[in-house]
Amino acid sequence: MAVRLLKVSSLATAFVSSGFYLYNKDPNDLSIVRFGHAAATTAVISYDYLTAFRHVQYGTEAYSSLSSKVHRRSAERLRDLCCANRGIFIKVGQHLGAMNYLLPEEYTSTLKVLHSRAPQSTLEEVRRVIREDLGKDLPELFASFEEKPRGAASLAQVHKAVLHDGRTVAVKVQHPKVRKQSSKDIEVMELLFKAVHWLFPDFAFMWLVDEVKRNIPIELDFLNEARNAEKVALMLSHLTFLKIPRVHRDLSTNRILTMDFADGGEVSDRDYMKRHGINVNDISQNLGEMYSEMIFVHGFVHCDPHPGNVLVHKCPFSNKTEIVLLDHGLYQVLQPDLRLDYCHLWQALIRADMSEVERYSRRMGAGDLYPLFACILTARAWSSVNTGISSTPLTNSEDVKIRTNAALYLPQISELLNRMPRPLLLLLKTNDLLHGIEVALETRASSSSFINMSRCCVRALASHKKSTARSRMQWFRITAAERLNLWRISAYELYLWWVTILSWLPGC
């Protein structure tokens, strides 16, 4: 304990000296305040964890109760830091809030609010960005422009506006200081994460800093987001339930993105769906189909499906339910070998083929930690993975068990994430957010998502085999096998539907 307290003292000294090193150009620079706030919060949280358990025996009820309190107040301090420093801090906080498999519930529930608590830029700041990038003032570009943003995120905010020809659009404007601050914020985070790892060796989150370094410059380029939106709209044009707002290129720059305005409720809002007569099971099934297509068939994956970026809407004319996909700044491109390995792995998980689960998990870098990888990927206990996730209903006790065990396996989880191929980290984040939506909609026990995944895996693997077929006969055999497998999946889906109907009948 004395050694660790000495480390805290050394840590504070290092923070001060590093702060002057990072921000020695202007002593009045706001970055110094941001760094000081981050360093102080890190030191307070570290000290709390070091001293809170001195007189409590590990494994007792008192220890468990105290752990929950320390987790809660530390999470609240971290949340307040993210809200105060804004920008990249909120982005990282949102990422941590989705890690149900890694962090205690006190952290995930507290940090999830960051999706709806992002700070806003003033209207004057918005005007200035638009004037600098488009060369005109608001009245010259828009017939009307709502002063209050419809939504604010870590990097930008969205305003509803009407063009002079009467079309309604959504104007996404980057926060003016976020680009300049991002590089300094990443340096601060890297320093703090290394310091905490030095103090608590089990805390190994440098992979998260690496991801932020790689992805933030991409997300700050709104023309890249425009290209992604146009590409995915064309790629998934056959999904009639999906709506991607059209980009207005003449009103878009690196810091401004103008798209058709799309209204709707958040995908996790069950009350909204009930009021508008939207079937939550249909939404969950369509969401699963959409992401299965992206991941397994195309290898081009929207990696930020938090509820604010996925809206549901019932068209008043056709009465059809639509899913509106927003925020296309971050996509992951999967190389063919990784995508096909991922297909094989999910097929093995659905069939409970443990030898194949081990084989493809190892191919993806999991090594001897492949059981842990399978549990993280499916958000299920190892016993359920062994018996078949598609045939074993998820229970509340299993969910509680997963959360409880996550804290016990923190070092192994951190090691696993550090050795994973980088593209898989964003897929895990996507899985976490989709699991969170299923929990909110209470559809996680449904097998429809596994059926959609099975179909997409069959199609993806068959497409690859046909592309390498050496004869017409071989091509026809692969096609026949594909159709047979798809027919089997449809038959199983029909069987599940019939079982459900029978369960509703009296006396059954």
Side-chain angles (χ1 to χ4, degrees):
M1 180 62 69
V3 172
R4 283 198 168 181
L5 291 177
L6 182 60
K7 279 188 174 184
V8 173
S9 176
S10 303
L11 198 59
T13 304
F15 284 161
V16 173
S17 60
S18 298
F20 282 113
Y21 171 75
L22 288 172
Y23 306 116
N24 58 3
K25 293 182 180 179
D26 182 0
N28 296 315
D29 189 347
L30 182 61
S31 297
I32 296 176
V33 177
R34 294 160 58 78
F35 174 84
H37 196 177
T41 301
T42 303
V44 168
I45 291 174
S46 300
Y47 184 80
D48 197 2
Y49 275 102
L50 285 172
T51 59
F53 304 98
R54 284 181 297 182
H55 306 297
V56 183
Q57 185 177 353
Y58 177 79
T60 62
E61 188 174 332
Y63 185 95
S64 177
S65 175
L66 182 59
S67 293
S68 179
K69 292 177 182 177
V70 175
H71 291 331
R72 180 71 64 186
R73 61 182 179 244
S74 297
E76 289 171 353
R77 288 165 179 153
L78 188 56
R79 176 202 62 202
D80 294 343
L81 168 65
C82 293
C83 290
N85 278 9
R86 306 168 56 167
I88 304 244
F89 283 84
I90 284 187
K91 198 77 178 174
V92 173
Q94 290 172 342
H95 197 153
L96 292 171
M99 293 183 179
N100 296 312
Y101 60 85
L102 182 57
L103 296 177
E105 187 275 336
E106 292 84 359
Y107 274 91
T108 56
S109 62
T110 302
L111 295 177
K112 272 184 172 67
V113 304
L114 292 174
H115 286 297
S116 57
R117 290 263 306 262
Q120 300 176 6
S121 295
T122 65
L123 181 62
E124 184 51 42
E125 288 175 320
V126 170
R127 287 179 187 273
R128 187 165 63 250
V129 171
I130 289 176
R131 192 184 308 116
E132 289 173 358
D133 281 30
L134 296 177
K136 296 180 180 180
D137 291 320
L138 288 180
E140 298 177 82
L141 297 168
F142 307 101
S144 67
F145 189 91
E146 288 188 357
E147 293 188 12
K148 185 178 180 181
R150 286 297 180 106
S154 54
L155 305 181
Q157 62 191 49
V158 178
H159 292 260
K160 184 179 180 181
V162 178
L163 301 178
H164 287 293
D165 62 9
R167 289 176 294 172
T168 305
V169 295
V171 186
K172 181 176 178 180
V173 183
Q174 194 172 114
H175 298 310
K177 297 177 183 177
V178 72
R179 187 181 294 268
K180 180 181 178 182
Q181 290 173 342
S182 62
S183 59
K184 291 183 177 180
D185 284 346
I186 291 172
E187 287 183 63
V188 169
M189 284 187 184
E190 188 166 20
L191 171 68
L192 297 180
F193 274 59
K194 285 180 178 177
V196 174
H197 178 56
W198 175 61
L199 196 60
F200 302 95
D202 289 345
F203 183 93
F205 277 72
M206 290 313 298
W207 58 269
L208 181 54
V209 178
D210 293 339
E211 285 303 294
V212 171
K213 274 185 179 180
R214 183 180 293 106
N215 295 326
I216 287 300
I218 298 172
E219 292 189 77
L220 288 172
D221 181 2
F222 287 179
L223 290 180
N224 177 67
E225 180 174 348
R227 290 190 292 271
N228 288 341
E230 291 164 347
K231 178 176 179 178
V232 80
L234 181 63
M235 187 178 83
L236 300 180
S237 58
H238 60 287
L239 299 181
T240 57
F241 60 81
L242 177 61
K243 181 178 180 182
I244 308 290
R246 184 173 65 89
V247 175
H248 293 256
R249 284 283 188 160
D250 57 324
L251 293 172
S252 298
T253 68
N254 287 327
R255 295 193 297 170
I256 300 169
L257 181 64
T258 305
M259 306 179 78
D260 287 344
F261 182 80
D263 208 354
E266 290 190 358
V267 70
S268 59
D269 190 345
R270 284 179 62 91
D271 292 336
Y272 175 90
M273 296 189 204
K274 187 175 181 180
R275 290 195 306 271
H276 291 82
I278 297 173
N279 188 311
V280 295
N281 290 312
D282 288 345
I283 293 298
S284 184
Q285 182 171 347
N286 288 343
L287 195 63
E289 181 179 355
M290 178 177 77
Y291 267 91
S292 293
E293 284 263 348
M294 288 184 191
I295 294 170
F296 301 112
V297 179
H298 301 284
F300 186 68
V301 190
H302 179 280
C303 286
D304 201 12
H306 72 73
N309 289 341
V310 186
L311 305 181
V312 292
H313 169 74
K314 178 166 276 192
C315 181
F317 306 106
S318 65
N319 209 35
K320 289 184 178 179
T321 300
E322 297 175 332
I323 291 179
V324 184
L325 190 61
L326 306 173
D327 198 344
H328 302 272
L330 187 59
Y331 273 74
Q332 180 64 67
V333 178
L334 302 180
Q335 294 304 313
D337 288 347
L338 179 61
R339 177 173 60 85
L340 294 172
D341 282 348
Y342 200 62
C343 283
H344 282 296
L345 176 58
W346 268 106
Q347 278 197 322
L349 287 166
I350 292 168
R351 296 195 307 260
D353 185 339
M354 289 300 103
S355 62
E356 290 290 278
V357 167
E358 178 179 357
R359 177 188 174 191
Y360 286 101
S361 294
R362 288 183 180 276
R363 282 173 63 101
M364 300 173 85
D368 292 337
L369 294 175
Y370 73 89
L372 184 60
F373 180 47
C375 293
I376 290 175
L377 206 56
T378 59
R380 300 295 300 271
W382 180 240
S383 57
S384 298
V385 174
N386 270 279
T387 55
I389 54 175
S390 60
S391 57
T392 308
L394 177 71
T395 62
N396 185 60
S397 60
E398 182 183 351
D399 216 19
V400 171
K401 181 181 178 182
I402 292 168
R403 286 186 170 276
T404 304
N405 287 344
L408 301 177
Y409 290 100
L410 179 59
Q412 292 88 344
I413 294 174
S414 296
E415 180 188 347
L416 177 65
L417 295 178
N418 274 306
R419 67 165 71 161
M420 284 281 106
R422 298 298 98 181
L424 273 182
L425 296 179
L426 280 179
L427 279 189
L428 290 176
K429 174 193 173 185
T430 302
N431 275 348
D432 296 339
L433 290 168
L434 292 174
H435 286 320
I437 292 171
E438 289 179 339
V439 169
L441 296 181
E442 299 177 9
T443 58
R444 266 199 75 191
S446 170
S447 60
S448 61
S449 59
F450 297 121
I451 290 171
N452 284 324
M453 290 171 71
S454 296
R455 282 198 180 100
C456 288
C457 288
V458 167
R459 286 170 49 208
L461 293 171
S463 176
H464 172 69
K465 290 176 182 177
K466 283 188 281 189
S467 69
T468 58
R470 296 181 178 179
S471 66
R472 187 175 294 272
M473 179 60 68
Q474 187 180 17
W475 188 93
F476 277 118
R477 284 175 182 168
I478 295 167
T479 301
E482 176 189 9
R483 291 179 178 175
L484 178 60
N485 286 328
L486 291 174
W487 179 85
R488 286 172 175 166
I489 293 170
S490 296
Y492 180 65
E493 186 178 26
L494 181 64
Y495 163 75
L496 291 177
W497 175 81
W498 181 245
V499 168
T500 303
I501 293 296
L502 288 178
S503 68
W504 290 345
L505 297 177
C508 293

